[in-house]
Every structure is written in structure tokens, then in C-alpha cells.
Amino acid sequence: MSGDRPRIRAAGRARGVPEATVARLPVYLRALHALADAGHNTVSSEELAVAAGVNSAKLRKDLSHLGSYGTRGVGYEVALLVDQISRALGLTQRWAVVLVGVGNLGHALAGYAGFASRGFRIAALFDADTERVGECIAGLDVRHIDDLDRVVAEEQVSIGVISTPADAAQEVADRLVEAGVTSILNFAPCVLQVPDGVDVRKVDLALELQILSFHEQRKADDAGSASGVNGSMKSAAAGTVTPLPTPRVDAREVVGR
Amino acid sequence: MSGDRPRIRAAGRARGVPEATVARLPVYLRALHALADAGHNTVSSEELAVAAGVNSAKLRKDLSHLGSYGTRGVGYEVALLVDQISRALGLTQRWAVVLVGVGNLGHALAGYAGFASRGFRIAALFDADTERVGECIAGLDVRHIDDLDRVVAEEQVSIGVISTPADAAQEVADRLVEAGVTSILNFAPCVLQVPDGVDVRKVDLALELQILSFHEQRKADDAGSASGVNGSMKSAAAGTVTPLPTPRVDAREVVGR
DNA sequence: CTATGTGAACCCATTCACAGCA
DNA sequence: TGCTGTGAATGGGTTCACATAG
């Protein structure tokens, strides 16, 4: 038993699972559910790795951090693995979450079936706009942000989702923390300041596109330098052409910082 | 000039920027825009690091991969840095993207102002459901997926966003690649198979919550083991209680794998 | 004989600490 | 003098390759 170096362990349960591993466990879980649906009772590390989009060595190393739940020469029992990963992720309980900000994105998140199906229950929706309060979205009434404290306490909420504009996000985060929330998922495009003990994860939609933009550019450059010395245009791959020399930053027109 | 080890470099432009650095450049860009709006002309690595939520050593190392654009003893000129980072990310051109799947989430993405404000133009919306085709969302008509090839070619689209249900995502990805798209942002909770040369980034909403769940559980466990030997309940922190012993996986009720 | 579990090697990223320049 | 830019040190994560168990 035990991993590489002697990571911290609690009483009986496995602990000190590396962060990179934690981030992949939900992917394995998804793949396992799909395999179970397809009627598989057991699965090899190779099969599961393919289904999860990683290599098998990484998968085995990841699983080894949870314990030894495989059978040498055979593979893993699907149901058992689902059980163990769910347990490791804390999904044996159904977490209550509150969502703040029911604009464009908040609406979609409130109606996202994936939350319910993967261990989460939206306890309440909030907004600061009194126009929106009272509106019913996905079976939930939108409440005013001032009710946050009460709901978080009553429903034992520990996770908050922020889908407000960027300029309101910090204020909302402060209120969530004040109310007792200790984990925040932030969809607003800004950095949040929170006290120790509070976890924040961010999802930035445009940021992901910007990363893709980098790689697109790289591909276009490669294609360009393959033929002409510095292929000024011509093989600009699939990108919107117009390679503007130095357009000065007058970009960023609308909305969020 | 040049980084630590001699990473690959092209003609004159900086290359071989580490992936971890690339992922942070958009964050720096956001912070710089905010600083510019606040009237700052120059900024020190320390100030910018705080605004971006990283430490200053990491920031400087990251920027060093783009070249030497700071002034020792002074700091960085905000406008110049914005320019250089934009250039490095390939944001001197405005990329055209197509969005496939105008359900709950697709709707929200189509209306997301952050795309337009950060260098991207939604060229078209697509759906397979003929009921939806023709609908107008955020000023764009929803087109049928069969028109994908034409639009991608005509508008020189190289980036596609998938916001379909999981069971349709692979099919859509295949079509996007077939049409000539070489970068995909996938919101569907599944692993996509794509040929070499195509980049995929994924955003999984529930996955992020599951990661937070892990850390919540850890905090709850810590709080529990602080007092009683194995505090069976009582100090279950803020989480929805009910620590179920071995609930057998009957979870996952609705929707996507 | 097969596929897991894991030490060891390797590689990438972060952090430190200071040389070098305005 | 102050802050950038960067070698060197450290640490985490990935991959390799094989001992081990069924």
C-alpha cells in the first residue's frame, strides 16, 4: 500500500491524492458510467485509459493513489471502481449549491442537467436585480441576494457558483464567504480574493478560446514558413486572414474588463 | 534573450512558450486592460502579479518567454505589454468561430459578450434540430448542420465550439474537422477523438464542481478528526450531511453519460 | 502468461536568489 | 537604488519498465 513518497494519510481513508489526479478522477468516473451502461463488468487499464483519453500508465498511477482495487491479470471491476472514485471525490453525499447571477449564463447553468446527474443539487438561485427576483427558472424561484445568508445556513450549502458580470463578482464572493460557503466556482472573468480555507475554481470561456488562438497562430506560422522564407500571406491556413502588423490595442469594446 | 533551455524558436518571433505560460497570458491580458482603464501607464511585476493572482517570480518568468519588454528599476509599460501578449496569443487578428448546438448552454454562449470583446467573432450558429433552424439568437440565424462545410469555407473559420449533448458531440467534432476546423472548444461532457493537428480544449461544468467536492470533503474530514476520534457526524462542517456508508451506485439519473 | 502496482528516471513548472541594467 | 531577467535549485507530474500477484 501507499504511494511514491509517504504522502499524508488519515486514519483509514486514502489521502494526499495529487491535485492532477483529482482533476482526472471525474473523467474516469464518466467513462466508467458509460462502460457500465454498455454492459461491461470489468475493464482493463488500457480500455479505461482510451475511454478517458489518457495513457494507461497514468491511469494506473492515478488509481493507485486510491488503493489497490484491481485484479492482476484481469483488470478492474467497473462497479467497484465507480464506488471508490465516487467516495474519493466526496460524491457519496449530494452537495447543495447556490447560484448567484441569473443572466444569460446563469440561466443556462440553472437548467444544466449535468449538475443534478453528477451529485449536485441547486438549492437556490440569486440575483441582485429586483426585476429578476421572483422569476422562476428551471423550477426554482430567483431570490434576492440579501437572502443568501439564511438559505446557505438553512440548506447547509457549502458550494457557490458565481455567474454575474465581472464587476459584481468580488462583492458576491465576499457575501458567499460571509454566509459560510467554502468552495466557489467562478464564471466571471476576474480574479477573486478569498480568505484561506476557501477554494476557488474558475471557468473562463473566452480564455479557453484565447489559448486555442495561440495554437492556431502557431499552426499558421508553421504552414507559412514551410514554403516561402517568411510567407507574408498566401498559406494563412484556415484563420481569418488579415495578419495586421501592429494594430494598437483598441480592442476590447464591450462588457467585462 | 532566449529562455532557460533552448526551446524551439522561429525566425524572429518568440516561440516555444511553455503551455502553462500560454494558459496564463490571457489572465495577464485581462489584468492589464483593467489597469489601463484605471489610468496606469506602467506597472511593476509585483503589481501585475497581484492583479492576476500569481506571484511575481512566475509572472516575470512567463513574460521573459515573450522577450524583454520591461525596464529594470521601473517596470512594464502597460500598452506595450498588452500589445506583445496580444501578439503572442495571436489576437492581432479576429478569429471567426462557429458554435454548434443551441440548447440551453449554446444559447448562453451565443449571447456571451466576452467572446466579441476578447478577439472572437461568432460567424454562425448550427443545430441538427430542424425545429431550431431559422431561430434568431443574438442577431444570428440558426442554420442547419449540413451547411457547416460551406460556412466554414466561406468565412475562413478555424475554431469550433461544441455545446451539444454528449452523445452528439463526436459526430459534430468529426464534421467540424471534415469542414476544416482545426481547434475545438468542447462543452459536452465526453472525450473527443480527433486527428493529429487538431487541438481540443474542454470545459466540463460538473467536473469543476466534482473537484470542489473533493476539497470540501477533505475539509470536512479534517474538521471531524480534529475533535472526536472519528467524529461520526456532528462536525460535518458546512456540507449537506448524510455521510452514507456505501450507497451503491444508483446515482446518475438523467442525461449525459 | 497477463495486466496491475510501483520504484526509478525523466521532464516540465515553480520558486529562489541574485547578477545586471536603467 | 530598485526592479527586471534568469541561472540554479526544488518539487510535482508523467512515463518507463519490471517485479509481483492472480
Side-chain angles (χ1 to χ4, degrees), chain B residues 17 22 27 32-33 124-125 131 148 174 176 180 211 214 218 244:
Chain B
V17 181
V22 172
V27 179
L32 285 165
H33 278 139
L125 308 178
E131 284 294 305
L148 191 63
D174 293 344
L176 283 168
I211 295 172
F214 174 87
R218 205 178 55 70
L244 312 180

Side-chain angles (χ1 to χ4, degrees), chain A residues 141-155:
Chain A
D141 290 328
V142 176
R143 310 167 78 137
H144 191 270
I145 186 81
D146 289 343
D147 290 349
L148 191 63
D149 281 55
R150 178 151 25 101
V151 174
V152 167
E154 281 173 5
E155 306 247 21

Side-chain angles (χ1 to χ4, degrees), chain A residues 31-172:
Chain A
L32 285 166
H33 278 140
L35 286 165
D37 288 350
H40 291 65
N41 289 323
T42 63
V43 64
S44 70
S45 65
E46 183 58 36
E47 290 168 319
L48 182 53
V50 168
V54 301
N55 70 51
S56 61
K58 191 187 284 184
L59 176 87
R60 287 199 303 278
K61 180 69 90 178
D62 282 342
L63 294 184
S64 76
H65 292 297
L66 309 187
S68 288
Y69 299 115
T71 308
R72 290 176 198 236
V74 180
Y76 302 90
E77 193 193 331
V78 173
L80 176 65
L81 250 199
V82 166
D83 209 40
Q84 292 303 332
I85 295 178
S86 295
R87 178 180 301 277
L89 285 172
L91 298 176
T92 50
Q93 58 186 281
R94 169 161 290 250
W95 299 92
V97 316
V98 292
L99 190 155
V100 184
V102 289
N104 228 344
L105 183 61
H107 247 86
L109 295 176
Y112 185 55
F115 290 152
S117 68
R118 295 212 255 152
F120 302 90
R121 180 177 71 81
I122 299 188
L125 309 177
F126 293 92
D127 206 296
D129 184 355
T130 49
E131 284 294 305
R132 288 219 137 98
V133 173
E135 190 180 342
C136 183
I137 300 171
L140 287 165
D141 290 328
V142 176
R143 310 167 78 137
H144 191 270
I145 186 81
D146 289 343
D147 290 349
L148 191 63
D149 281 55
R150 178 151 25 101
V151 174
V152 167
E154 281 173 5
E155 306 247 21
Q156 306 221 349
V157 175
S158 50
I159 302 178
V161 176
I162 299 178
S163 48
T164 65
D167 56 16
Q170 182 61 59
E171 158 88 18
V172 168

